[in-house]
Every structure is written in structure tokens, then in C-alpha cells.
Amino acid sequence: MTMATMLAAAIVFLVLNLAAGLVRVARGPSASDRMLAALLFGSTTVAVLLLLAEWTGQPALRDVALLFVLLAAVLSVAFVGLPRHVPEEDR
Amino acid sequence: MSVVEWVAAALLALGCGFYFAGTVGMLRFPDALCRLHALTKADNLGLLLVCSAMALQSQSLRVTLLLGIVWLFGLLASTVSAQLIARRAVDDHGECE
């Protein structure tokens, strides 16, 4: 059981986790359930990128992970949208 | 594998277990707010464990600092996402469902 085998197994496991989470996104009765995809993808993809950086020996993928997590906050604002009910007197 | 690699492998396995727990919570909890709770907490902890495992494995100070920053920004991003999703869920359905 080498470290490379464990890394490969962990990568496959996390990608399967992503696929299983998409079931909720497809099925979830309300819109907020579908927005959970933003959170799920943000966290899991960063972990997969970090594991890939170690497994393939490409340290540049860590910088990609940092960029991704920096953009995830902005992505969530765009994906979730602003609150729907703006009070009349604030317009 | 040396001792450090065994510890890193153990942390990695634990981190994957927490990611799995978060996904199970996301699929099985009854309400959007409960699912949000499970996903945020478990995924943050899983990310911390995975970052620690990779920092140990790389045995370099620069990589450890970089992964620490990645984790901190991961906390920030998931906090922002969770707050926005929760506000949208409360707007749509009310607080108790």
C-alpha cells in the first residue's frame, strides 16, 4: 500500500462523492437544495486538486486550487443570487 | 512508507470519511437548512484534514503555508456561500419547516 495508491483511491472516492451529491441537486425539491452544488463543488474540487498536485507531481496545481477557492466565494454570490425581496423604501 | 507518510495517509483517510459524512448528510437530512449545516461543517473539516495530510506529505514549509492559506480561504468561501443559501432558503420557506 504505497502513498500513490492511497492518493489515487482518495481521488476516485472524492469524485464519486461529487457524483452522489449531484443526486440531491437533481432531486432537491427547493431551489436552495440545488444551490448546495456551489458549496459541494467548491470544497470537493479543491481537495481533488490538492491530491492531484501530489499524485502527478505538478506543484502548479496547488496554485490552481488557491485560485479556485478564491473564486468560489465570488461564484457563490453569482450562483445564489441576491435576496429576492428588496423592500420598497430601499429602492 | 515512513512514519510521516503513515500519519499523512491516516489523515487523508479521515478527511475522505468526513467528506463522505457530509455527502450522506446532504442526501438524507429532511430540510434545506439541515443539509446546508451538514455540508458546511463536514466539508470544512474534511478539507482541513486533507490539507494537513498533503502538507505533511510534501515536507516543505512553503507548501504548508500555501495549504494553510487555501484552507482559510476555503473557510471564507463556504461561510459566504452558506449564509447566502440559508438566507435564500428562509426567504422561500420561512424559518421552521
Side-chain angles (χ1 to χ4, degrees):
Chain A
M1 178 66 87
T2 66
M3 192 61 184
T5 318
M6 272 226 60
L7 283 175
I11 290 170
V12 170
F13 185 72
L14 286 179
V15 171
L16 286 177
N17 252 354
L18 256 184
L22 287 176
V23 169
R24 168 58 64 208
V25 172
R27 196 157 48 119
S30 72
S32 330
D33 290 315
R34 301 203 170 83
M35 291 165 194
L36 290 176
L39 262 183
L40 181 68
F41 272 84
S43 261
T44 312
T45 314
V46 170
V48 167
L49 277 172
L50 290 177
L51 291 176
L52 275 175
E54 189 67 36
W55 191 54
T56 63
Q58 301 253 24
L61 286 176
R62 294 196 186 103
D63 302 324
V64 175
L66 179 62
L67 273 174
F68 196 92
V69 86
L70 284 174
L71 289 174
V74 180
L75 170 75
S76 73
V77 174
F79 193 49
V80 173
L82 297 172
R84 277 208 302 200
H85 305 295
V86 180
E88 273 303 313
E89 56 269 18
D90 278 3
R91 283 189 201 271
Chain B
M1 295 210 303
S2 65
V3 176
V4 172
E5 289 204 342
W6 273 113
V7 173
L11 285 177
L12 184 60
L14 208 55
C16 287
F18 272 104
Y19 270 109
F20 182 63
T23 308
V24 165
M26 186 169 146
L27 290 175
R28 301 270 306 168
F29 277 2
D31 187 23
L33 289 176
C34 296
R35 291 173 193 142
L36 193 57
H37 205 75
L39 201 56
T40 317
K41 308 300 189 291
D43 272 10
N44 277 344
L45 192 52
L47 184 61
L48 173 65
L49 289 170
V50 166
C51 283
S52 332
M54 290 299 104
L56 269 180
Q57 170 72 15
S58 74
Q59 294 166 0
S60 139
L61 182 62
R62 179 189 171 272
V63 170
T64 306
L65 288 178
L66 180 64
L67 292 187
I69 292 176
V70 166
W71 174 66
L72 280 176
F73 278 118
L75 271 189
L76 181 66
S78 65
T79 310
V80 168
S81 304
Q83 159 69 3
L84 289 174
I85 297 174
R87 193 192 294 184
R88 178 66 181 266
V90 166
D91 268 349
D92 280 350
H93 298 291
E95 293 249 7
C96 311
E97 189 195 318

